[in-house]
Amino acid sequence: MIDINEIGATAFVIASIRALEPEKPRPLFNDPCAPWFSNDRARAAAKQLEAVFPPSTTMVRFRTRYFNRFVERGIEDGARQVVLLGGGFDMRAHHYRKTDAAFFEVDQKAVLEFKRHILSDNGIEQPPSLFANYLEADVPGGLADLGFDPTAPTLMVWEGNTMYLPPESIMPFLNRLASAVSSLRIAFDYFSVDLQSRDFETDEDRKRLEGVERAMNASFPTGFPDLTVFEREAPFAVAESGSFAELAEEYGLGEMVAEYPEDWRETLKLYRYCVLQRRAGG
């Protein structure tokens, strides 16, 4: 049995949510591989997540669509490499295999070994993969050994990661990336609140997020109430940001989100996306 820790286990929950997409009245993406990574325990956790805060699973759907778009547009704009950073059971390397971009994955060894086993059983080859805790490893160097070109235009998808990470490790990690990769755009999701101090505007917001933590069986130590920290402490500029709920109209689900209670909509404003671009000469 492969030992996947609590953080890696969240990938099963997200896969279980994605596996239900074909049943939705208005599907936002197609991930036929997601059921391969679902199981009874993960499905139960996904149901608990929805019970705690019903819009939470909708936001997982929205973020999946958003990061798909990030990859699609980035490749159209000339990106030649895509790195799935802590991607768990992300299958974008397979979904976009017919593009000109090379895909690489970075994640814990146990997660990627399990994924490779499942993919092999289904006749799919895992893309070049770096088994590593990326906060501690030489990610650019490890990827270079797999064929990654640090001078080529690169996208990094950092989906569903930042909230789980020790806050003191994030800026050193980003600075190491920026020092080695000359043309880089990195997209991530985050909570726009100081999670170390639990500095929420309302007690209801705090209770909802803590309910999500319990459902995911993991804690969220990190949030970013101010994105300028990335511009002050690392050589990046904020290229794009917003809340996932703001994408509802674009996805044809504006009416559904508008019908949520007002306090739900206020809580949703805390869950956001950001794209950082490495500054030239930074």
Side-chain angles (χ1 to χ4, degrees):
M1 174 70 70
I2 294 175
D3 182 19
I4 296 177
N5 66 21
E6 289 181 357
I7 301 304
T10 64
F12 291 95
V13 181
I14 300 305
S16 296
I17 295 171
R18 290 177 174 170
L20 296 174
E21 194 63 21
E23 302 174 12
K24 303 299 181 182
R26 187 185 291 269
L28 301 180
F29 55 86
N30 180 33
D31 188 355
C33 307
W36 303 344
F37 303 102
S38 183
N39 56 45
D40 289 342
R41 181 177 179 182
R43 284 188 287 271
K47 288 180 180 178
Q48 182 183 350
L49 187 62
E50 185 156 295
V52 166
F53 187 43
S56 57
T57 54
T58 299
M59 292 304 105
V60 171
R61 298 175 61 213
F62 281 19
R63 86 177 193 195
T64 301
R65 172 72 170 263
Y66 174 79
F67 286 111
N68 285 352
R69 183 182 68 177
F70 170 72
V71 171
E72 291 161 4
R73 291 182 175 177
I75 293 173
E76 288 174 2
D77 290 342
R80 290 294 171 260
Q81 299 175 137
V82 181
V83 178
L84 306 176
L85 190 60
F89 304 138
D90 184 330
M91 289 296 292
R92 292 185 178 97
H94 176 65
H95 298 330
Y96 299 111
R97 67 189 184 281
K98 294 183 180 179
T99 68
D100 292 333
F103 279 76
F104 301 86
E105 298 197 13
V106 182
D107 211 328
Q108 300 175 76
K109 181 178 181 180
V111 173
L112 289 178
E113 283 187 336
F114 179 84
K115 183 177 182 180
R116 178 171 288 172
H117 173 73
I118 296 297
L119 294 186
S120 178
D121 284 350
N122 287 276
I124 297 176
E125 184 177 352
Q126 173 77 0
S129 301
L130 177 62
F131 299 166
N133 175 343
Y134 58 75
L135 293 177
E136 300 174 354
D138 174 10
V139 170
L143 288 174
D145 291 339
L146 299 173
F148 177 83
D149 179 357
T151 67
T154 300
L155 305 175
M156 286 195 176
V157 177
W158 199 18
E159 181 181 6
N161 276 242
T162 65
M163 58 287 296
Y164 300 108
L165 304 179
E168 68 277 5
S169 300
I170 292 176
M171 292 305 163
F173 167 66
L174 289 175
N175 275 287
R176 290 195 298 274
L177 286 181
S179 68
V181 184
S182 57
S183 178
L184 173 63
R185 288 172 64 89
I186 181 166
F188 61 93
D189 53 319
Y190 70 100
F191 291 114
S192 59
V193 63
D194 184 345
L195 290 177
Q196 281 191 294
S197 65
R198 300 277 143 166
D199 186 20
F200 292 90
E201 289 192 7
T202 71
D203 196 45
E204 285 303 311
D205 284 342
R206 178 185 59 77
K207 289 179 180 178
R208 287 180 184 124
L209 192 67
E210 289 176 352
V212 171
E213 288 179 306
R214 287 191 295 273
M216 296 296 288
N217 194 31
S219 62
F220 300 154
T222 296
F224 300 104
D226 180 6
L227 290 178
T228 62
V229 65
F230 296 101
E231 300 180 336
R232 295 194 309 269
E233 298 185 18
F236 288 96
V238 175
E240 183 179 336
S241 68
S243 76
F244 286 102
E246 291 169 351
L247 301 173
E249 291 290 344
E250 177 183 338
Y251 296 164
L253 295 173
E255 184 175 337
M256 181 187 72
V257 172
E259 289 176 351
Y260 288 156
E262 183 178 355
D263 59 330
W264 287 13
R265 297 198 305 273
E266 289 302 309
T267 301
L268 286 177
K269 291 179 182 178
L270 301 178
Y271 188 45
R272 302 177 64 85
Y273 59 86
C274 177
V275 177
L276 300 177
Q277 174 140 5
R278 186 188 183 279
R279 293 196 299 267

